[in-house]
Amino acid sequence: MRYFFYVIAVLFAATPLVSKAQGWEEQNVFVSEAPKRVLRVISSTDTSFFAPIIESFLTENPDTSVEYLVTSTALLNAEFRQNADAYDVVISSAMDLQLKLTNDGFAQKVTGLSQPEWAEWRQSLFAFTTEPAAIVINRKAFEGRRVPQTRQDLILALRARPDIFRGRIGTYDVRSSGLGYLFATQDARISETYWRLMEVMGGLETKLYCCSVDMIDDLADGTIAVAYNVLGGYADARPETSDALQIILPSDFPTTMMRTMFVSRTTKHPEQARDFLRHVIALQSGTVDRDVFPLPPLISEQDEIRQSTIGLGPALLTYLDVLKRDTFIKEWVSAIIQE
Amino acid sequence: MSNSVRVSGSLRNRLAITLIGGAAILAILLFFVVRAYAAQIAQKGQDSILGASATSILDAAVIRNGSVEVDFPYSAFSILNTPSDDRVFYAIYRDDRLLSGYELLPQPFLQNGAQQTFVTTKFRGATVRLTRASRVLVGENLRTQVFVTVAQTQDALSVTLNRISRNVALFGVGFFVLAALLSFWATSKTIDQLTRLTTSITRRGPQDLTPVSKPVPAEMVPLVASLNTLMDRLDQSLQRSEDFIAEAAHRVRTPLATVRSYAEATLQRVSKEENRQALRSMVRAIDESSRAAGQLLDHAMITFRADHLDRQDIDFADLVTDLVRGLTPIAEMKDVGFDLQCDDSVKVSGDPILLQNAVRNVIDNALKYSPSESVISIFVRAAPTACVVISDQGPGFPVDQISQLTDRFTRGDNAMGIIGSGLGLTIAQDVATAHGGALHLTNLTKGGACVTFSMS
Amino acid sequence: MKFLLIEDNIQLAHAICSRMGFDGHVIDHAATIRDARAFSATEDYDLILLDIMLPDGDGRDFLKHHREGKKDTPVIVLTARSQVSDRISILDLGADDYVTKPFDHAELEARVRAVLRRRGGVSQTVLRVGNVEFDPVAGTLVVDGTALQLRNRELRLLELLINAPGQIFAKQKLVDRLFSYDDDVSENAVEVYIGRLRKHLKGSSLSITTLRGLGYRLEHE
């Protein structure tokens, strides 16, 4: 028996605080049985991924409703910095932005969790997924040909058939996507190959996207043949597209990010906010039920993926430095847009 | 007579407390000093990393096309990673202008010539350790100074300090316990010296007033010297007392001897009965005084010696045999015979002088009351306890007064006409009691008195 | 017998000398250790009576010196000290016995006799009269070859009578000599002892005669 129901609120009507900002990508309220309060969760993850998690939370906490607001990582960061007291829980895939928010004192400690120390920072910022950046291709484009396994392979593949790929490559616009910027800077830090790839992609009129979803959509319908540095999980999540697409984790180095969340220091419902965070963490530990937790959970064993995971530490502040950012973006722009 | 000495404090305790107190103070001092030192070192550790971070940022500052570019490496902040996930703040200034980083980050003054400084300060509600470094960049027509400030919270430092504090505290406690044990041991060893001296003095016999000859530690020399002086004075005093008694005895008895001799001589030449009686009474009176004096001296001596018996291992049988031999001439005068029977050897531990005195007094008593031509039986037995049983054939003890006879100066009703001071049995009983024994008075069924002097 | 008396108290010394002389002994008297040494160096004595407290020294030193000189004359010490400890130390130093002042002459005599008896070899004290052999020191009486057992008082009585043959002894005198001052004896006790002695002397060359109102006399046939 369903004891809750979805309510699609009219934008700008339910929450006056949002009125000054841009529009949310998604906005849903999950109402519980006997709500005493509403938890406002601001996130960059699609609602479809989080719905089962929230539902299971409401089952255990019938006196709390959850309002789930989705926006892009960069906007999320800006919005939260402006109105920290309006939100209780912050979830984002931009580890660097999340870390800076925690460093700047926007998060509060949540105790009682036994996360491995590389999956949390200051017991305030908690990682709960492991998601590598992948190269996703449209199978048709590589029919009969060797599928590139590394970045180097991709460079060669692109150079080999420039006409096929001209205008049919997609990647994040690092100027507007926090996650994209993160992936790009981590890539560049690791290998020289990244810049060469960017130059090659720049010469082939690469399309720039703000979000993974759009990239996957275009990939699925053939608008683009290759998407670089996209979250494989998104492609995986859509059964109808999985046949058409192939997810490749670059074997030279799969840059892996962890989705992170924290409880706002100025939350008005600290108890319930912390409970929500604990609930999410609990779901992804042990044997994970994919129906309840659709995202790829934290990998605890030491393997290649684990070693290539971006580290949660103050080093993430480096590329958020305005000078360095300016420098990087200048270079990136000159590589990918002007040749 | 045992002295109860008043106790005031304890050397052992005082010494132990002083040593332990000192150890405690030292341990606490150690704790603070080591902790402070460790804190200093730990701080230096953090400072060196902060310094390296600031330096690596500073090193990346260049002038390009008239503007300052600071493309600092990833490692500049990755080295600031700590197990406690300390927060990091930084600011890059060109002269007075903030190029990037956190606004309002404290900018401590750099002394002339100094290129780097470290301070502990507060930022955004947290205590941070902050370093500021600078470099002068020179370009074509440009000369500018770049300041880099890097700050980090001190959570990891606190954790380290706490761990160090705990370890130092444990170490301090361990040191203290060790020092305490050492103190007890040292105290015992020192007090040992005193104990040894005490033992050697206690083991001395009661008559031993010789000075302490064993070597003692320098600090105890004044004490032992005083003790020796005291014993010497006591010895002299005792000697003087003995000399005094001897002198007194001599002065009293010599004239008595003279009178007695003359009386006896006179008796030879006098025939009138009443004169004879008078002279006989005189002699009796002299004998009584002499005997009294002797017994008083004996009694005094016994009272003195009873507290410090000069116990020796002697054969009681031999002692009594000697005594009987010495008294035989007197007995012979009265035609009284001694029947002496001893067990082979009767080993006792006792003061031979006191024992001789006591037994002599009992035999004297028997002699006094024995009629002429009678026998005094003396048995010396070893079992069940060492004892001597002296029985005579005289009138025996007055039955209703037996218990009082050993009281001082009490004489029985049947003592009329017989010279004696009444101390004889008292002396014997005192000696018996002092040796843990007893004196028993009974009357024999066939007539006569029986005195049993037993040693335990 | 020959005695040396070493005593500094003149009156006491006179008393002792007269009493012993009364019994027929020879006594030399020295009042100081110096005189004593002079006497003992030149004369041989049967016994020395020694006082401890002397004006020019301790009697014990004289004793030690005397013994070291290999002279083993019997010594009886006269002392005012009656402590048993003193007795032991005096005997340790070489004295044979000691007597406390004031002393009973009878006791002194008894002790002298005992000492001499212990020393033995004083054969010149044996008295022979007819078929009677009497040794007052050893206390033995042999009549006609038969040894007789005599009581102490009987011996003393015989000794008194035999030392003054022909002399009449009044009962009173005999009482004084035979009994101590403690005993309240009547003169009849003397009669008893005389009777006993007569019995012992039966068949010997000695007899005791009663002289009414006067006393007794030992006669030799």
Side-chain angles (χ1 to χ4, degrees):
Chain A
M1 181 168 68
R2 302 223 108 184
Y3 44 83
F4 61 83
F5 52 95
Y6 287 86
V7 168
I8 311 288
V10 176
L11 289 170
F12 309 123
T15 48
L17 289 166
V18 186
S19 59
K20 69 180 192 95
Q22 73 306 325
W24 297 102
E25 282 176 21
E26 292 169 16
Q27 187 175 9
N28 291 297
V29 180
F30 296 76
V31 182
S32 64
E33 209 177 42
K36 291 208 186 77
R37 61 193 78 80
V38 181
L39 274 183
R40 284 171 62 93
V41 177
I42 182 169
S43 169
S44 67
T45 313
D46 280 3
T47 316
S48 55
F49 285 106
F50 247 87
I53 297 170
I54 296 174
E55 275 171 32
S56 64
F57 175 75
L58 291 180
T59 315
E60 287 167 30
N61 299 272
D63 56 351
T64 308
S65 295
V66 175
E67 186 179 356
Y68 190 77
L69 306 149
V70 180
T71 185
S72 76
T73 46
L75 291 173
L76 187 153
N77 182 55
E79 168 57 25
F80 183 74
R81 277 180 185 274
Q82 287 256 315
N83 304 302
D85 8 336
Y87 306 97
D88 304 305
V89 181
V90 181
I91 304 173
S92 171
S93 45
M95 294 165 70
D96 48 355
L97 292 173
Q98 291 283 80
L99 190 117
K100 187 156 200 301
L101 281 172
T102 312
N103 188 56
D104 291 354
F106 284 96
Q108 65 168 268
K109 276 203 191 332
V110 180
T111 55
L113 290 166
S114 56
Q115 284 278 73
E117 48 90 25
W118 45 266
E120 55 88 17
W121 200 68
R122 291 186 73 78
Q123 285 187 308
S124 316
L125 185 67
F126 295 88
F128 60 97
T129 68
T130 315
E131 294 174 70
I135 304 168
V136 185
I137 56 167
N138 190 314
R139 284 184 203 272
K140 278 216 195 74
F142 284 84
E143 222 160 14
R145 289 176 188 278
R146 202 173 136 271
V147 168
Q149 294 299 318
T150 67
R151 291 178 186 81
Q152 187 61 27
D153 285 350
L154 187 58
I155 290 172
L156 292 172
L158 293 178
R159 280 211 186 112
R161 297 182 291 162
D163 303 320
I164 304 287
F165 294 111
R166 182 150 292 138
R168 290 188 69 213
I169 312 170
T171 191
Y172 281 109
D173 184 342
V174 308
R175 295 170 293 187
S176 53
S177 165
L179 178 62
Y181 181 71
L182 177 66
F183 276 154
T185 49
Q186 291 294 321
D187 254 2
R189 187 172 77 87
I190 302 298
S191 67
E192 264 259 300
T193 324
Y194 174 77
W195 287 115
R196 284 194 281 124
L197 178 61
M198 286 303 111
E199 278 169 23
V200 169
M201 282 168 60
L204 292 173
E205 294 161 28
T206 303
K207 281 175 137 53
L208 300 173
Y209 294 85
C210 73
C211 340
S212 297
V213 175
D214 297 341
M215 250 194 285
I216 301 293
D217 284 344
D218 279 1
L219 203 59
D221 62 23
T223 314
I224 55 171
V226 177
Y228 178 70
N229 258 4
V230 79
L231 283 175
Y234 275 41
D236 226 5
R238 302 222 239 139
E240 63 271 22
T241 49
S242 57
D243 290 331
L245 306 175
Q246 187 172 349
I247 303 160
I248 304 157
L249 297 180
S251 60
D252 49 358
F253 198 86
T255 309
T256 310
M257 72 91 171
M258 298 189 286
R259 230 172 267 266
T260 54
M261 63 192 294
F262 66 85
V263 173
S264 165
R265 196 168 55 85
T266 49
T267 174
K268 294 193 183 54
H269 315 288
E271 281 262 5
Q272 292 71 29
R274 286 191 225 123
D275 285 343
F276 183 77
L277 188 143
R278 289 198 191 100
H279 177 80
V280 174
I281 301 295
L283 283 179
Q284 59 79 41
S285 56
T287 34
V288 179
D289 184 356
R290 292 238 68 179
D291 292 329
V292 182
F293 191 85
L295 294 163
L298 276 180
I299 293 175
S300 50
E301 306 95 42
Q302 291 284 350
D303 58 5
E304 283 171 31
I305 305 256
R306 170 73 191 84
Q307 281 161 5
S308 58
T309 309
I310 301 167
L312 269 181
L316 287 175
L317 297 174
T318 311
Y319 283 105
L320 296 179
D321 176 69
V322 292
L323 295 174
K324 280 196 78 79
R325 187 186 160 89
D326 279 351
T327 311
F328 183 87
I329 291 194
K330 270 202 201 87
E331 271 192 59
W332 183 84
V333 163
S334 75
I336 209 131
I337 297 177
Q338 296 139 21
E339 249 261 280
Chain B
M1 163 186 77
S2 63
N3 296 323
S4 58
V5 181
R6 288 212 332 243
V7 174
S8 158
S10 150
L11 270 181
R12 182 190 297 269
N13 288 351
R14 200 177 298 182
L15 194 60
I17 286 171
T18 309
L19 286 173
I20 290 173
I25 290 173
L26 276 177
I28 290 171
L29 212 68
L30 185 82
F31 172 75
F32 284 117
V33 164
V34 172
R35 197 164 161 280
Y37 183 60
Q40 224 182 15
I41 300 221
Q43 186 62 76
K44 273 201 168 46
Q46 184 185 32
D47 286 356
S48 67
I49 294 180
L50 274 174
S53 171
T55 307
S56 70
I57 298 173
L58 209 50
D59 283 349
V62 292
I63 295 182
R64 193 166 285 149
N65 302 332
S67 63
V68 173
E69 284 182 10
V70 189
D71 189 8
F72 57 87
Y74 206 67
S75 61
F77 290 147
S78 70
I79 61 171
L80 294 173
N81 225 344
T82 68
S84 306
D85 296 337
D86 279 305
R87 294 159 70 187
V88 167
F89 308 104
Y90 73 100
I92 304 175
Y93 278 80
R94 177 190 167 172
D95 295 318
D96 291 332
R97 200 155 58 91
L98 175 72
L99 290 186
S100 78
Y102 288 80
E103 294 172 350
L104 304 177
L105 190 63
Q107 300 295 307
F109 183 67
L110 276 172
Q111 301 277 12
N112 288 345
Q115 299 219 294
Q116 187 162 43
T117 182
F118 293 88
V119 298
T120 306
T121 178
K122 266 195 173 309
F123 182 65
R124 294 201 182 184
T127 311
V128 297
R129 183 70 173 169
L130 186 144
T131 179
R132 186 168 186 237
S134 85
R135 222 173 106 222
V136 173
L137 296 178
V138 178
E140 254 181 35
N141 305 318
L142 197 54
R143 187 195 165 84
T144 180
Q145 194 167 19
V146 176
F147 296 92
V148 170
T149 314
V150 180
Q152 183 184 38
T153 53
Q154 302 196 294
D155 298 344
L157 192 70
S158 300
V159 167
T160 305
L161 276 182
N162 285 345
R163 200 178 59 240
I164 289 175
S165 295
R166 209 176 41 247
N167 287 344
V168 175
L170 279 171
F171 179 67
V173 166
F175 163 79
F176 174 72
V177 167
L178 211 69
L181 287 172
L182 217 67
S183 305
F184 282 124
W185 180 81
T187 306
S188 285
K189 282 236 97 85
T190 312
I191 303 291
D192 245 4
Q193 291 286 350
L194 277 176
T195 314
R196 246 185 279 143
L197 179 68
T198 310
T199 313
S200 84
I201 289 183
T202 316
R203 252 193 270 124
R204 288 173 163 218
Q207 313 298 328
D208 190 351
L209 287 174
T210 53
V212 175
S213 56
K214 274 176 60 170
V216 291
E219 291 78 7
M220 281 164 65
V221 165
L223 172 68
V224 174
S226 300
L227 186 66
N228 285 344
T229 312
L230 182 68
M231 289 203 290
D232 186 47
R233 288 208 320 256
L234 187 65
D235 197 20
Q236 282 178 26
S237 161
L238 284 175
Q239 192 60 41
R240 266 184 263 130
S241 303
E242 283 180 24
D243 292 344
F244 173 76
I245 289 174
E247 185 69 20
H250 182 76
R251 284 184 181 275
V252 161
R253 288 168 136 167
T254 307
L256 281 179
T258 312
V259 173
R260 197 187 193 284
S261 287
Y262 274 124
E264 270 193 281
T266 310
L267 193 53
Q268 302 290 325
R269 299 190 287 274
V270 154
S271 49
K272 218 163 159 203
E273 190 53 36
E274 50 186 64
N275 293 339
R276 287 174 53 77
Q277 287 304 331
L279 284 168
R280 288 181 81 92
S281 303
M282 269 175 66
V283 172
R284 268 207 292 273
I286 288 164
D287 282 348
E288 192 155 341
S289 333
S290 175
R291 196 169 137 90
Q295 282 191 335
L296 281 168
L297 284 171
D298 280 354
H299 186 73
M301 185 200 67
I302 286 160
T303 312
F304 169 72
R305 277 179 93 104
D307 282 334
H308 343 270
L309 289 180
D310 186 11
R311 279 193 190 259
Q312 297 172 25
D313 290 326
I314 52 175
D315 189 342
F316 202 38
D318 285 348
L319 183 145
V320 174
T321 309
D322 273 342
L323 206 56
V324 167
R325 184 149 23 120
L327 289 170
T328 302
I330 300 177
E332 276 185 347
M333 280 164 49
K334 291 182 69 169
D335 275 332
V336 170
F338 285 122
D339 175 21
L340 176 62
Q341 289 174 29
C342 307
D343 282 353
D344 272 334
S345 92
V346 183
K347 292 264 189 281
V348 299
S349 163
D351 189 327
I353 304 225
L354 289 184
L355 289 175
Q356 272 197 357
N357 217 310
V359 177
R360 191 209 164 106
N361 268 290
V362 177
I363 298 179
D364 242 3
N365 237 32
L367 272 173
K368 285 282 175 283
Y369 289 93
S370 286
S372 120
E373 296 173 19
S374 64
V375 173
I376 296 176
S377 323
I378 301 174
F379 296 118
V380 184
R381 284 205 280 265
T385 58
C387 69
V388 56
V389 184
I390 299 151
S391 4
D392 61 49
Q393 290 168 332
F397 296 114
V399 175
D400 48 341
Q401 290 174 359
I402 271 191
S403 58
Q404 296 159 343
L405 284 174
T406 52
D407 292 344
R408 282 211 294 193
F409 302 114
T410 306
R411 306 184 65 210
D413 287 336
N414 58 345
M416 306 311 294
I418 297 177
I419 297 168
S421 70
L423 274 179
L425 292 175
T426 313
I427 288 168
Q429 188 177 61
D430 284 349
V431 172
T433 319
H435 284 84
L439 196 75
H440 287 295
L441 310 177
T442 51
N443 286 328
L444 299 169
T445 39
K446 54 186 169 174
C450 174
V451 176
T452 309
F453 177 93
S454 54
M455 285 295 287
S456 55
Chain C
M1 291 203 286
K2 198 157 175 197
F3 293 99
L4 172 61
L5 169 66
I6 310 170
E7 168 64 62
D8 63 322
N9 188 300
I10 306 298
Q11 288 162 322
L12 179 60
H14 272 173
I16 296 173
C17 286
S18 76
R19 177 59 194 269
M20 303 216 88
F22 199 74
D23 291 338
H25 302 295
V26 174
I27 297 205
D28 283 341
H29 168 227
T32 60
I33 290 187
R34 216 186 51 164
D35 290 343
R37 288 223 178 99
F39 273 113
S40 73
T42 51
E43 305 276 346
D44 272 330
Y45 294 98
D46 291 313
L47 191 122
I48 295 177
L49 298 169
L50 171 64
D51 179 28
I52 289 294
M53 297 227 173
L54 293 164
D56 59 342
D58 194 312
R60 286 180 279 214
D61 291 333
F62 170 84
L63 180 59
K64 217 161 68 126
H65 195 79
H66 190 79
R67 290 286 178 244
E68 276 165 12
K70 303 269 195 295
K71 292 220 171 168
D72 62 346
T73 324
V75 174
I76 293 181
V77 168
L78 312 173
T79 174
R81 296 168 79 123
S82 65
Q83 301 271 1
V84 170
S85 48
D86 304 309
R87 179 164 201 270
I88 293 171
S89 70
I90 285 167
L91 295 180
D92 284 344
L93 282 170
D96 293 82
D97 205 345
Y98 84 142
V99 149
T100 341
K101 297 186 218 177
F103 52 84
D104 191 335
H105 277 277
E107 185 188 333
L108 179 60
E109 270 172 28
R111 291 199 183 275
V112 168
R113 241 178 266 125
V115 166
L116 291 175
R117 192 168 37 214
R118 268 208 302 277
R119 289 306 193 97
V122 191
S123 52
Q124 62 258 38
T125 57
V126 177
L127 290 163
R128 287 187 188 79
V129 183
N131 63 348
V132 174
E133 263 182 41
F134 175 57
D135 184 346
V137 172
T140 54
L141 175 68
V142 180
V143 171
D144 219 1
T146 323
L148 298 173
Q149 287 287 61
L150 257 62
R151 285 231 154 86
N152 186 48
R153 281 198 179 123
E154 294 159 11
L155 287 166
R156 303 286 75 79
L157 181 57
L158 179 57
E159 188 183 3
L160 277 172
L161 296 173
I162 230 179
N163 275 337
Q167 187 177 324
I168 300 172
F169 285 88
K171 269 196 201 159
Q172 280 177 346
K173 298 289 178 280
L174 292 177
V175 163
D176 292 339
R177 298 303 298 272
L178 289 177
F179 299 97
S180 72
Y181 297 92
D182 266 359
D183 305 326
D184 234 349
V185 293
S186 66
E187 294 175 354
N188 293 333
V190 177
E191 285 177 21
V192 171
Y193 277 95
I194 293 285
R196 288 199 197 148
L197 199 55
R198 275 193 177 127
K199 236 190 265 171
H200 288 308
L201 289 173
K202 234 194 184 121
S204 75
S205 18
L206 297 170
S207 67
I208 301 171
T209 332
T210 310
L211 300 161
R212 262 193 185 278
L214 289 173
Y216 301 96
R217 183 170 62 192
L218 185 75
E219 281 168 0
H220 165 43
E221 276 154 26

